[in-house]
Amino acid sequence: MRARFRRRPVAALTGLAVAAGLGLAGATAAPAAARQTAAAPAAAPATPGLSAASAASTTPTPSTTTDPVGPPQGNFLSAFLYSVTKPTALPTGANDWSCKPGRAHPRPIVLVHGTFENRYANWAALSPKLKDAGYCVFALNYGGTKGPVLATGDIPTSAGELAAFVDRVRAATGADKVDIVGHSQGGMMPRHYIKNLGGAAKVGRLVALVPSNHGTSLIGLGLLARLVPGADVVLGAACPACEQQIVGSRFLKDLNAGGETDPAVDYTVISTWYDEVVTPYTSAFLPAARNVTNETLQSHCLVNTTAHINITYDRTATRLVLNALDPAHTQRPTC
C-alpha cells in the first residue's frame, strides 16, 4: 500500500527566515568534519584502503576547544534551526571520549547523519536515548567544510572520514568493533566503508534508517532539498553526493555489485511507507539473507505516518533501533 505524500508547509515557510542564519553560519563556522573534544586522542590510526595523502585529507583536525552540546529536540526542523548558528553542536550524550563500554553494551555506537544534514540535526533525540540506555555514543560531521548543510561531498571520501572516525572511537574506547546507526546517505555510505575500506572487521551491526541503498530520483533529491531550509542552494551549487545517489549511478552500481552485504556484519533496515525521498520505500531494503532484517514502521504501527526526514525522531523507529542493537532484550514497539 502506498500513501500519498502530504507537503509539509512548515519547512517551506521557514526557508526565508533561515537563509540569513545559513549565511552567518557559513561565514563563522569552524570546519564541520567530525571534531574531537580536548579529551580525544590526538591522532587516528592508519585506515585500510586509504593512501597516506588521502587519510590526511579526510581525517578531521582535533579541536582545541569543546564543541557545544545542544539540548534534546523533538523534531528535525527545530534541531536544524538550532544548528544554523551552532553548526558544530553535539547532540546530548555524544562524544564522551572517556566513555568505556560495559559488558551489557560492549560496542560503542557511531551515528552517521544524512545528506543536507549534520550530527546535531539528525541525532538530537536519539543520541541521549542511546546514552541513557547505557551505550557509549559518538557522532561525526562529514561530507563538507562548514555550516549546517553537510554530507554533500564525494561519498567514497566521506567513507574515508567515517573510517578515520571509527578508528579514533576504537582507540579511545578499547573496543574491537563499533555498531553504526545511520540515516539516509548515512545508512548507505557505511556500506562502502565496510566493503572497500576494511570496515567489515570493525563493524558489528549497521542499523540504517531509510537508507538510499538503491538510490533515489532527481525529484526525491529536490524534495529533500526543499524540506531542509537552505539545502536547495547547496544542491544548485555543488553536491557530488546527490549525483552519486541517483538511481543507476556508477557509484551505486559499483557499491551493489558482487553482493550488497558482508557476512561478518548484521544489517537492519528501517523504512516507512511514507518515504517521499527514497522511492519506492522498498528500494531501501537489502536482499534477504540470514544477517539482514528489513522492517517498516507500519508493520508495528499501522497508523504511523512518519516520513523520511523525521524518522530519527519517531518513537517506533527508536524502539526498532534499540531492538536491533540489543536483540537479546527486545521490547514491543509502540505507536
Side-chain angles (χ1 to χ4, degrees):
M1 179 186 304
R2 289 312 311 266
R4 183 175 299 172
F5 166 65
R6 293 181 294 179
R7 191 177 298 273
R8 285 159 177 72
V10 175
L13 290 174
T14 57
L16 184 60
V18 172
L22 287 170
L24 175 64
T28 60
R35 294 166 29 167
Q36 301 178 53
T37 63
T47 303
L50 290 178
S51 65
S54 177
S57 67
T58 59
T59 301
T61 303
S63 297
T64 56
T65 58
T66 301
D67 290 326
V69 177
Q73 301 282 356
N75 59 76
F76 175 86
L77 183 58
S78 62
F80 183 85
L81 292 175
Y82 182 94
S83 73
V84 167
T85 56
K86 296 179 177 65
T88 63
L90 285 164
T92 298
N95 291 20
D96 174 4
W97 294 95
S98 65
C99 187
K100 301 297 180 184
R103 183 175 299 178
H105 303 304
R107 291 194 293 265
I109 307 299
V110 173
L111 301 174
V112 188
H113 63 79
T115 311
F116 304 137
E117 299 169 342
N118 60 72
R119 62 187 175 188
Y120 180 78
N122 238 159
W123 307 116
L126 187 57
S127 176
K129 289 182 173 66
L130 290 169
K131 185 70 172 181
D132 289 346
Y135 291 94
C136 292
V137 183
F138 299 87
L140 78 160
N141 280 335
Y142 72 91
T145 56
K146 56 188 176 183
V149 180
L150 298 173
T152 59
D154 172 67
I155 294 177
T157 301
S158 294
E161 295 180 50
L162 174 62
F165 189 79
V166 167
D167 281 344
R168 274 200 308 282
V169 170
R170 292 172 58 243
T173 61
D176 290 335
K177 294 185 177 184
V178 304
D179 288 340
I180 294 176
V181 178
H183 175 251
S184 196
Q185 181 193 155
M188 174 272 292
M189 176 268 280
R191 291 179 48 227
H192 180 87
Y193 164 53
I194 290 168
K195 181 176 182 178
N196 299 308
L197 301 180
K202 303 174 184 179
V203 177
R205 301 182 187 277
L206 171 59
V207 182
L209 295 142
V210 291
S212 50
N213 281 324
H214 300 100
T216 182
S217 65
L218 283 169
I219 294 175
L221 287 169
L223 178 58
L224 179 59
R226 290 195 298 273
L227 291 173
V228 180
D232 53 342
V233 178
V234 177
L235 177 61
C239 181
C242 295
E243 185 279 329
Q244 290 168 326
Q245 289 180 91
I246 293 174
V247 174
S249 72
R250 179 173 296 277
F251 169 79
L252 287 173
K253 287 179 180 178
D254 291 343
L255 177 65
N256 293 326
E260 299 183 22
T261 57
D262 189 290
V265 179
D266 288 325
Y267 300 81
T268 298
V269 173
I270 301 169
S271 187
T272 170
W273 291 354
Y274 290 81
D275 196 327
E276 70 277 53
V277 176
V278 176
T279 57
Y281 71 91
T282 52
S283 68
F285 292 157
L286 294 168
R290 63 163 188 81
N291 59 332
V292 172
T293 301
N294 292 312
E295 299 252 32
T296 64
L297 300 184
Q298 290 73 27
S299 295
H300 303 275
C301 180
L302 188 62
V303 297
N304 191 314
T305 59
T306 296
H308 186 90
I309 203 166
N310 258 322
I311 194 169
T312 60
Y313 291 84
D314 179 82
R315 180 168 59 180
T316 305
T318 296
R319 172 43 55 190
L320 292 175
V321 169
L322 291 168
N323 287 351
L325 293 172
D326 188 3
H329 300 92
T330 61
Q331 297 181 29
R332 182 177 178 179
T334 57
C335 292

